Amino acid sequence: MIVAHLRGYGERFAVGTDHAQLSYRELADRVETVAAHLAGPRRLVLIETRNDIATLVHYLGALAAGHVVLPLPAGRDHSAIESTYRPDIVIDAAGVHRRTGDPHRQLHDDLTLLLSTSGSTGSPKLVRLSRTNLISNATVIADYLGLRETDRAATTLPMSYCYGLSVIHSHLLVGAGLILTDRSVVDEQFWDLFRRHRGTSFAGVPYTFELLERIGFDGSSTPDLRYVTQAGGRMPPERVRRFAELGRRAGFDLYVMYGATEATARMAYLPPELALTRPGAIGRPVPGGSFSIEPVDGWPGDEVGELVYRGPNVMMGYAHGPDDLALGKTVETLRTGDIARRAPDGLYEVVGRTSRFVKLYGLRIDLHRVETALRDQGITALCTGDGDRLAVAATGGHDPQTVARAAADAAGVPAGAVRAVAVDELPLLESGKPDYPAVRRLAHSAGADAPTSASDVRELFAEVLHLDPATIDPAATFVDLGGNSLSYVTVTVRLQRLLGRLPADWPRTPIRELQAAARPRRAGRWAGLETSVALRAAAIVLIVGSHAELFTIWGGAHVLLGVAGYNFGRFCQTPVSRTDRVRHLWSTIAWIAVPSVLWIAIALLLTDDYTWSNLLLANKFLGPHDSMTAGRLWFVEVLVWTLVLLALVFWLPLADRLERQWPFTVAMAFLAVGLALRYDILGLGLGRDAWFTMLAFWFFAVGWAAAKAATNWQRAVVTTVLAVGLYGYFDNPVRGAIVLVGLVLLIWVPTIRCPAAVTAVAGTLAEASLYTYLVHYQVYELFEGHPAIGVAASLAVGVALTRAVTAVRRRLADRTTQPRLIPVRR
């Protein structure tokens, strides 16, 4: 049947390579010769594949002879599969090799093809596919792509990979042509061949499109290009959109597709006209197939669950050994392992994974097998996916680069796709199970947070505060040197690495005393984390996650407001002169207000998110109040104008003297003012709007009073006032509980003991909290339908911006710093 089908297309172009070209009649003749040579009882035929004519002819010939074919990539270790299944015939570059004797196994009549699940770790687990699977999937692919006899597709993917094989099946089904090549899209020879044979399409995994961007592909040199397909893993929506726009300009369509080897290749596709507007969706089921969403623990709601596929292309089942080759169809549905939802427009969106497989570079990688491969090399490690990379944490003193190379080899990906970190102990949950999220955090920290180069406290302070270390008086403190709440987080984390456990009042401890307290420190699993730092980190995660609808846990911004008041009390109300206090306070305001205004200006140019009143940080005063985005920057507005008012108040000599004489009493007086606003004693009638206006000042005042509370009875008073003020304040009791717990910790617990890795991550997130808050609204919206990715991207962008601003500040400071002694101010 295969030979007759091929011969029916006569002299049409069938296959082209660098050095040869075959018509369908010539291809049919060669396939017939191979089929005759392989004639006999049904056998299991292993073929080492290359994208060349010989492989194609032997593959089709083995099928035409009625054998079961197992294609595997040439040049790889297949010993596990060969020893498990002991194929009767092996076809490689050296020729055809037969095992003598009768077939030693039964092969089910429907069984036609065995495929590895596109992994690279040599697992003997195979997918069993029938003739019906192959024909049905090839038919629907040809249908939704609108394949024509004049189409010619380049084989940019291995013939042993279900995606690459599906290109061959669908094109040969309709009499279209194939351009066989193993060259990469970065090779000019690939494009020469593509143009010479008038190629109309090519397929790619996400990495293919990354390479296309690197070489500046714009479609201008491929005049016959009609469409491009993408599958083999999720491609970032922004890249989907870029190539869709490029295709619109250059005259080709982009088809984004979703599938699995277990579905003979394709389960869904996104029509080209939707690639611009819905780049994050996997699309709709292929003709003849259907999806359902089934509940999964930990993913609340009926609209989100595991994506389950049904269709004639669903595999017969898995094979784990030779006995399974005699089985008929054992599955009717395919549980994809992806967490998905169906959008109102009928398109499906994948939002997560249930299993320990990741897909990189078109490969489905079994993370457990990567860990096993590392263990065989004496490396005890945990491995997890981290976006487009693998994250690995390893013990035993191994060099991270060595671990990364070993993991890359085991996974079959480039070494640059692995981020490895050395740890004293593997991170575990309380249950004793591996803590994979901690592995990701550790890997991120290792990759993005280089250790301090400072050898002593003075150098560290100079580096963070952008001062010349030679000019710093050893008797000066962090406060004396102008340290504020913005630089405090960075110094806390780095100073702890340098010294170990920090004194309770280290910001007011002279440098010489801090240095004297230094002791040799061995990296341990646990460390102390300043509560204010931990709260900043936790609050920004809660804010971003709730706004992106990854979860709904409100209260983070009000906790941040309390932390801001706490830092005001610690770093602005210091023993320095009134002039220095006010100057310090205005500097703090500038470092909040200036980046906020700059970002709003950028957002005004690019989006409709803000108005002119946001540019003045006065939306809450000037409106408009009915905009969907009116309240987005309420926290920044409240904080900036609170600090402005306090700067004006404490510029007055009388207010300054009173605060110095009775710091706790003055803080409590301002808390009383805040509570008067909270209970609307003045009758302003703002009601629930008080949550997000200047009437929320009392949270700031609570933090301020907590910073000035020197005795337990004072802390108890602040706690009582907080509890009373929160009663009935929010209509959501969970929100109130979050704020209460957070601020009680701030009042009573100066340090939280936690895993050492957490301190680095928390410090990074806390330091970046302002920039993360500013940009997250615009960032997470880029990942519509994928809130987890949007949250991660928002945090990453905030961290990147913070580091960029810090680098600029350091560069500017290096140019302007003049040698001068920094005095001790009392």
Side-chain angles (χ1 to χ4, degrees):
M1 291 176 63
I2 292 176
V3 173
H5 173 83
L6 297 174
R7 188 165 282 127
Y9 291 113
E11 298 304 319
R12 290 198 186 106
F13 175 94
V15 182
T17 67
D18 278 318
H19 308 293
Q21 180 173 313
L22 297 180
S23 67
Y24 266 92
R25 179 186 57 78
E26 292 170 322
L27 177 61
D29 289 343
R30 295 195 184 192
V31 171
E32 187 175 34
T33 300
V34 170
H37 181 64
L38 296 176
R42 288 189 87 216
R43 307 263 183 156
L44 175 60
V45 179
L46 186 155
I47 299 179
E48 289 198 344
T49 64
R50 296 174 176 81
N51 287 339
D52 56 22
I53 290 178
T55 299
L56 178 64
V57 168
H58 279 98
Y59 170 71
L60 296 174
L63 291 178
H67 298 305
V68 176
V69 181
L70 169 55
L72 295 172
R76 303 299 295 271
D77 180 12
H78 311 306
S79 56
I81 291 177
E82 290 195 54
S83 62
T84 299
Y85 293 96
R86 299 186 63 202
D88 305 293
I89 301 173
V90 174
I91 302 175
D92 56 22
V96 178
H97 314 278
R98 299 175 184 266
R99 189 175 65 83
T100 59
D102 293 330
H104 65 289
R105 67 180 64 75
Q106 289 185 340
L107 302 173
H108 193 276
D109 290 343
D110 293 337
L111 183 61
T112 300
L113 187 66
L114 293 170
L115 288 179
S116 172
T117 56
S118 69
S120 59
T121 50
S123 170
K125 178 182 177 181
L126 302 175
V127 171
R128 298 183 292 118
L129 299 174
S130 67
R131 184 182 299 104
T132 299
N133 293 151
L134 300 182
I135 294 176
S136 64
N137 208 228
T139 300
V140 298
I141 292 172
D143 178 35
Y144 71 70
L145 289 180
L147 293 187
R148 310 165 185 169
E149 294 177 349
T150 54
D151 280 321
R152 299 180 180 184
T155 56
T156 47
L157 301 165
M159 203 179 296
S160 57
Y161 175 26
C162 71
Y163 185 11
L165 206 53
S166 72
V167 173
I168 292 172
H169 291 162
S170 58
H171 282 71
L172 293 182
L173 181 70
V174 300
L178 297 169
I179 304 170
L180 298 180
T181 177
D182 276 319
R183 296 187 185 279
S184 167
V185 294
V186 301
D187 294 335
E188 185 56 39
Q189 294 92 329
F190 172 88
W191 298 108
D192 290 340
L193 180 67
F194 192 84
R195 287 187 291 268
R196 190 194 326 152
H197 288 300
R198 304 187 64 181
T200 62
S201 71
F202 62 86
V205 297
Y207 183 60
T208 308
F209 291 84
E210 183 180 331
L211 295 177
L212 290 173
E213 284 190 338
R214 290 183 191 175
I215 64 174
F217 172 79
D218 60 7
S220 61
S221 63
T222 53
D224 297 299
L225 182 62
R226 189 172 73 83
Y227 71 91
V228 177
T229 65
Q230 182 270 315
R234 182 179 182 275
M235 190 157 77
E238 61 272 17
R239 185 167 289 153
V240 172
R241 188 180 287 113
R242 283 198 297 272
F243 274 93
E245 291 172 345
L246 174 60
R248 186 171 58 178
R249 295 193 301 268
F252 66 83
D253 289 329
L254 173 66
Y255 286 85
V256 176
M257 307 188 299
Y258 169 82
T261 308
E262 292 87 344
T264 325
R266 302 279 73 82
M267 290 182 282
Y269 73 102
L270 184 68
E273 63 270 18
L274 297 178
L276 279 171
T277 58
R278 298 289 271 109
I282 63 171
R284 58 178 65 125
V286 298
S290 65
F291 285 129
S292 63
I293 304 292
E294 299 193 2
V296 176
D297 290 342
W299 293 83
D302 295 335
E303 71 282 359
V304 177
E306 184 175 9
L307 189 64
V308 179
Y309 177 78
R310 294 168 177 82
N313 52 320
V314 172
M315 64 177 177
M316 297 174 67
Y318 289 113
H320 299 274
D323 292 343
D324 294 333
L325 304 186
L327 298 176
K329 191 172 180 64
T330 58
V331 296
E332 296 296 334
T333 60
L334 177 59
R335 306 188 70 89
T336 66
D338 285 324
I339 303 299
R341 64 185 171 196
R342 186 176 186 270
D345 58 6
L347 300 181
Y348 287 84
E349 303 167 332
V350 173
V351 298
R353 285 287 296 167
T354 63
S355 67
R356 293 213 62 232
F357 287 86
V358 295
K359 220 165 190 181
L360 298 176
Y361 300 88
L363 298 175
R364 184 173 160 188
I365 298 167
D366 182 340
L367 298 174
H368 175 72
R369 292 187 65 84
V370 174
E371 292 173 355
T372 301
L374 291 175
R375 191 177 303 114
D376 291 342
Q377 299 179 52
I379 302 172
T380 302
L382 295 177
C383 182
T384 187
D386 186 18
D388 59 351
R389 295 187 181 187
L390 294 181
V392 182
T395 61
H398 297 282
D399 176 68
Q401 293 183 345
T402 301
V403 175
R405 285 193 296 268
D409 291 341
V413 297
V418 180
R419 180 179 285 153
V421 59
V423 295
D424 293 334
E425 297 180 36
L426 295 179
L428 301 175
L429 300 171
E430 291 184 0
S431 63
K433 295 180 179 179
D435 187 353
Y436 289 108
V439 173
R440 281 190 288 271
R441 293 192 296 269
L442 286 166
H444 268 295
S445 177
D449 192 22
T452 176
S453 59
S455 60
D456 58 26
V457 177
R458 181 160 57 176
E459 288 181 7
L460 190 155
F461 279 16
E463 185 177 343
V464 175
L465 300 176
H466 314 298
L467 302 170
D468 183 351
T471 67
I472 297 178
D473 188 333
T477 69
F478 174 75
V479 172
D480 294 333
L481 298 175
N484 56 27
S485 60
L486 301 177
S487 53
Y488 167 76
V489 175
T490 304
V491 174
T492 298
V493 175
R494 296 179 61 177
L495 191 62
Q496 188 162 350
R497 293 180 194 157
L498 190 65
L499 303 183
R501 191 170 184 176
L502 299 181
D505 194 27
W506 71 261
R508 293 195 178 95
T509 303
I511 290 174
R512 64 162 66 95
E513 293 183 24
L514 289 175
Q515 189 64 51
R519 62 185 185 278
R521 177 174 175 260
R522 186 179 65 182
R525 185 178 177 184
W526 295 86
L529 177 63
E530 289 262 358
T531 300
S532 64
V533 176
L535 290 175
R536 277 175 68 168
I540 196 62
V541 171
L542 292 181
I543 290 169
V544 177
S546 296
H547 287 165
E549 299 182 350
L550 177 62
F551 45 72
T552 305
I553 307 176
W554 302 109
H558 291 85
V559 172
L560 269 186
L561 202 55
V563 172
Y566 184 78
N567 287 330
F568 169 82
R570 298 180 75 192
F571 305 119
C572 295
Q573 302 300 89
T574 59
V576 299
S577 68
R578 178 173 60 89
T579 303
D580 286 336
R581 269 188 172 187
V582 174
R583 184 186 300 117
H584 188 174
L585 189 48
W586 283 114
S587 175
T588 300
I589 294 169
W591 277 107
I592 299 171
V594 171
S596 299
V597 171
L598 288 176
W599 179 255
I600 293 168
I602 294 171
L604 275 172
L605 295 175
L606 302 178
T607 72
D608 297 323
D609 288 348
Y610 301 123
T611 67
W612 64 271
S613 62
N614 292 115
L615 201 59
L616 300 176
L617 299 181
N619 175 265
K620 283 298 177 182
F621 302 106
L622 305 177
H625 304 292
D626 58 348
S627 167
M628 288 181 62
T629 59
R632 283 189 166 186
L633 298 176
W634 76 270
F635 170 81
V636 172
E637 291 187 12
V638 169
L639 179 58
V640 167
W641 290 110
T642 293
L643 293 176
V644 167
L645 290 173
L646 290 174
L648 295 174
V649 168
F650 289 106
W651 176 77
L652 300 173
L654 177 60
D656 181 74
R657 285 198 302 271
L658 290 174
E659 197 282 334
R660 292 174 190 274
Q661 189 170 0
W662 297 294
F664 179 73
T665 302
V666 170
M668 289 300 295
F670 275 90
L671 177 54
V673 172
L675 288 173
L677 294 174
R678 176 256 184 273
Y679 288 104
D680 200 15
I681 291 177
L682 299 179
L684 299 177
L686 293 180
R688 296 193 186 280
D689 288 343
W691 294 358
F692 312 117
T693 66
M694 294 302 298
L695 303 190
F697 163 75
W698 74 279
F699 291 101
F700 180 98
V702 166
W704 178 6
K708 296 303 182 180
T711 64
N712 286 339
W713 77 263
Q714 290 176 336
R715 296 185 187 95
V717 169
V718 178
T719 304
T720 302
V721 172
L722 169 65
V724 171
L726 277 174
Y727 181 77
Y729 188 77
F730 297 113
D731 60 4
N732 183 341
V734 174
R735 187 181 220 161
I738 292 291
V739 176
L740 177 64
V741 170
L743 296 184
V744 166
L745 286 173
L746 189 69
I747 295 167
W748 290 96
V749 183
T751 303
I752 299 173
R753 188 161 176 78
C754 58
V758 174
T759 63
V761 176
T764 300
L765 293 177
E767 183 183 8
S769 57
L770 172 62
Y771 290 92
T772 303
Y773 185 90
L774 291 176
V775 305
H776 78 280
Y777 294 106
Q778 286 73 42
V779 174
Y780 75 72
E781 289 181 346
L782 300 176
F783 303 89
E784 184 180 358
H786 302 281
I789 299 174
V791 170
S794 298
L795 297 174
V797 171
V799 170
L801 276 176
T802 301
R803 290 173 186 256
V805 171
T806 300
V808 171
R809 286 187 66 191
R810 184 178 295 118
R811 200 168 284 118
L812 292 175
D814 290 342
R815 293 179 179 178
T816 59
T817 298
Q818 298 296 325
R820 64 185 181 88
L821 187 66
I822 305 296
V824 179
R825 295 172 295 217
R826 299 296 183 193

